[in-house]
Amino acid sequence: MTRPKPDPGRRGAVRCAIYTRKSSEEGLEQDFNSLHAQREACEAYVKSQRQEGWLILPASYDDGGISGATMERPALQQLLADIRARKVDTVVVYKVDRLTRSLADFAKIVEIFDASDVAFVSVTQHFNTTSSMGRLTLNVLLSFAQFEREVAGERIRDKIAASKQRGMWMGGNPPLGYDVRDRKLVVNESEAETVRHIFRRYTILQSVRLLAEDLAGSGIICKQRLGANGRRWGGQPLARGALYLMLQNRLYLGDVTHKGRNYPGQHAPIVETALWDQVQACLAANAVDRRRGSRAKQSSLLGGLIFDGLGHRMSPTYAVKHGKRYGYYISRPLITKGRTKASGALRIPASELEEIVTARVREMLADGAAVFDAVSTTTASADRCGRLVASAAALARSWSDLSFAQQHRILGNLVARIEVRDDAVDLHVRPDRLAPLLGRDEHGDGLVAASDGRRADTVTLSVRAGLQRVGKGGQLVLADRMAGAAKPNASLLRLLARAHQLQQRLLKGEHRDFQDFARDVGLNPNYATLLLRLSWLAPDITRTILRGEQPPSLTADKLSRATRIPFDWHGQRAALGFL
């Protein structure tokens, strides 16, 4: 115990801060609890040192229901802040383990004490922290305190393991479908039917994303909870992550899981074994398909191979517009974080990227010298190398006749990784896989997978393609198109043709007013006005669109929604991105 002497600069006063702590919340609601008992003992000790000038600070530093294994305690942090601010001369505790049970944490705390010349007193344990012997004694005490904490943790973990082996539920928030009574899970019948509905819908939709949308549309929400303080939470639409956990939670099957092992539970199951097995089979199949990029209903030729310039995996997805399905590859952050937080993430039409990749692979297969160099590393016979070169050329010519499964198998074996950068698409191919792919198996299908999964050196094949942002996604423009060999945009051509048709019809003067004209052509008057404005675009703008040389950002959707197109031609060029 340190006995501070009155400091003349403080006029003889030794300001004492009393710190108390209790690990559990049990009993804190009582009028006189453990924190009060600790403070009362500390106050009595400080009063006994009144002749030394000791005074009790009015501030209370009480941490109730917080373990001593962490320093992240509100009262302790406030105490340390006041010590740094030179508001405290002595810290008084009932026992040293009230301050901390960790030797490492105690070393940090003592360092703060020493820096501010603050003494430390334990009412029931006598030692002096200013001497080496006192520090040794304190470290011994803390070692036993830490040992006691670790042994208590082991006892608790052993108790949990033994209880779960007996099928007991060991607390926490009960999942949807169950309530807690007498510390046991009991089935909530209304919620249980919701759980069964979720499991059944997944077997039909076979997609967690579609399941989340379906449940949100049906108004199905997660379990609502009421905290001990009266605060309510929950009641939100079920997110995909929560649905994945729910569909794999063996509590619904009547089991209790502990460290990868399953034990028969003491609670009643909600989901039948047949339905559970069907859901697990679906989840397992989808997991494999996501890795291979070959889902039966959402096939993607390059799934699992594509990465953006930041190294994020790009996953296949799709959108449906006017009954037509459009495929895309999107960066992972767009799925996990959303568009506003996924800076630099990409969303690229699948058809554009697949066309670029397959064209470059066919070009490589048609290059006899490149194929010979690749197959000669694994094939000793010159005659066989020649046959493989001929097979590669034939494969390049007949690529469009191959089935989707055959194309997918070739690309999956030959290409290790595809990187989409701002100015190019890089294909990292494995030359050692080419000979097995070109060799014929016993069935003669000519598509034998590589015999092993070893990681060999890769060769990078680059395709110059400019990545240009368009709307919510990106568009890949090949180098030859950027140089002038552009392809006219069919949607823009139809839009301009429609605008000029409306202009010719309006100029005939066969309608009483514009409202009558809009009704006759079957258009909303506002939209008809927008279309007619396009018929008075600058001639050079129209010619550029007809040649397909317009800025990539100028899409039919953007042009049809442009409400502020200037009448002067120079202003039109500036507004539409031609300047």
Side-chain angles (χ1 to χ4, degrees), residues 235-532:
Q236 303 297 322
L238 287 158
R240 289 196 300 175
L243 287 173
Y244 272 114
L245 294 176
M246 175 182 290
L247 294 172
Q248 300 176 80
N249 191 347
R250 295 188 67 90
L251 278 175
Y252 294 125
L253 194 60
D255 290 347
V256 172
T257 302
H258 182 65
K259 293 187 175 181
R261 294 188 176 183
N262 305 313
Y263 305 98
Q266 297 182 1
H267 61 281
I270 289 178
V271 178
E272 295 179 355
T273 303
L275 178 58
W276 170 269
D277 291 340
Q278 190 177 355
V279 167
Q280 301 316 302
C282 245
L283 287 170
N286 285 345
V288 172
D289 289 342
R290 280 193 297 274
R291 288 195 295 269
R292 296 179 179 174
S294 57
R295 298 183 65 173
K297 295 185 179 181
Q298 301 181 23
S299 301
S300 59
L301 190 62
L302 308 176
L305 300 176
I306 310 176
F307 297 82
D308 62 21
L310 299 177
H312 300 130
R313 184 181 292 276
M314 297 185 68
S315 303
T317 186
Y318 71 97
V320 178
K321 185 175 182 180
H322 304 306
K324 187 176 180 180
R325 178 167 157 165
Y326 299 88
Y328 298 91
Y329 292 102
I330 63 174
S331 299
R332 187 65 181 172
L334 285 175
I335 301 175
T336 58
K337 299 180 180 178
R339 185 172 292 108
T340 58
K341 298 181 180 179
S343 176
L346 302 180
R347 182 175 184 267
I348 299 175
S351 58
E352 293 182 4
L353 188 54
E354 291 171 359
E355 180 181 352
I356 288 174
V357 171
T358 54
R360 186 64 183 90
V361 170
R362 294 179 71 178
E363 181 183 339
M364 182 200 71
L365 293 173
D367 186 346
V371 173
F372 185 87
D373 290 341
V375 299
S376 62
T377 60
T378 57
T379 304
S381 171
D383 291 340
R384 179 167 171 75
C385 285
R387 291 195 300 270
L388 292 177
V389 169
S391 297
L395 181 60
R397 291 191 300 269
S398 62
W399 182 271
S400 57
D401 297 329
L402 299 177
S403 67
F404 173 87
Q406 290 174 318
Q407 293 182 7
H408 182 270
R409 196 187 321 169
I410 293 174
L411 293 174
N413 280 273
L414 187 59
V415 180
R417 182 184 178 98
I418 301 170
E419 294 179 0
V420 182
R421 298 187 286 113
D422 290 340
D423 58 350
V425 177
D426 293 336
L427 282 69
H428 300 276
V429 300
R430 295 176 282 215
D432 65 315
R433 297 291 185 90
L434 191 54
L437 281 170
L438 296 173
R440 293 188 174 276
D441 63 1
E442 59 183 0
H443 301 293
D445 65 1
L447 295 174
V448 184
S451 58
D452 58 53
R454 294 177 297 170
R455 300 290 295 178
D457 293 337
T458 61
V459 175
T460 301
L461 307 177
S462 293
V463 181
R464 288 187 57 210
L467 182 60
Q468 298 174 331
R469 304 278 176 174
V470 179
K472 298 179 181 179
Q475 177 180 349
L476 287 169
V477 182
L478 292 174
D480 59 349
R481 293 185 184 178
M482 292 188 289
K487 181 180 179 181
N489 186 306
S491 297
L492 281 173
L493 297 183
R494 287 194 296 269
L495 189 65
L496 291 183
R498 175 74 164 155
H500 284 275
Q501 290 172 356
L502 290 177
Q503 182 198 54
Q504 295 299 320
R505 195 164 176 178
L506 180 65
L507 292 178
K508 290 181 179 180
E510 298 175 349
H511 302 87
R512 296 189 304 273
D513 51 29
F514 192 77
Q515 299 290 337
D516 181 45
F517 169 76
R519 282 193 299 271
D520 187 33
V521 297
L523 294 175
N524 178 281
N526 292 331
Y527 185 64
T529 301
L530 291 176
L531 288 181
L532 281 170

Side-chain angles (χ1 to χ4, degrees), residues 552-567:
S553 59
L554 183 61
T555 62
D557 185 66
K558 179 179 179 181
L559 191 59
S560 65
R561 296 175 185 273
T563 58
R564 296 183 179 180
I565 299 179
F567 289 103

